[in-house]
Amino acid sequence: MKWIEIIKLRIAESNRYPLPHQLAEIISGVNHEGGLGEIKLYCHAMLDSDLSIHLYWESERPEPQGSAAGLFLIHMLKAFGLISHSVWIEEAGPGKGPAMLPRGI
């Protein structure tokens, strides 16, 4: 089963400049436990204070409360600002591929 864990961080003004130097080190400290495919970092298109870290998983069952790797990142990043954490499960459509939504939704 494919699922994604998303950690959004809104960086506090006082932490805006130290974080980029520490972020690579924090992410490299993540234990790539079974099923973790990759980790991607996204920056908001208009707000330089907003980051989103995506952990891509493929495992038998998702962890609805978050993985050990995700919880580690939250623990390390919460000192820098506000955190939002969610887990999303890929839905299969009528065929074997991902679900497709009709246009307009």
Side-chain angles (χ1 to χ4, degrees), residues 61-78:
R61 294 186 318 187
E63 297 182 41
Q65 301 300 316
S67 67
L71 296 174
F72 167 80
L73 284 172
I74 290 168
H75 176 74
M76 297 300 291
L77 295 172
K78 65 183 176 184

Side-chain angles (χ1 to χ4, degrees), residues 29-105:
V30 172
N31 179 9
H32 282 258
E33 58 191 58
L36 178 56
E38 61 183 326
I39 300 173
K40 291 186 177 184
L41 175 66
Y42 296 89
C43 299
H44 194 282
M46 296 184 66
L47 300 172
D48 62 354
S49 62
D50 287 16
L51 300 175
S52 185
I53 302 169
H54 295 204
L55 289 77
Y56 294 90
W57 295 91
E58 188 162 353
S59 61
E60 264 187 53
R61 294 186 318 187
E63 297 182 41
Q65 301 300 316
S67 67
L71 296 174
F72 167 80
L73 284 172
I74 290 168
H75 176 74
M76 297 300 291
L77 295 172
K78 65 183 176 184
F80 293 98
L82 299 174
I83 296 281
S84 171
H85 179 230
S86 59
V87 174
W88 298 81
I89 301 168
E90 182 178 89
E91 288 288 323
K96 297 199 183 242
M100 300 299 292
L101 295 176
R103 288 185 179 211
I105 292 183

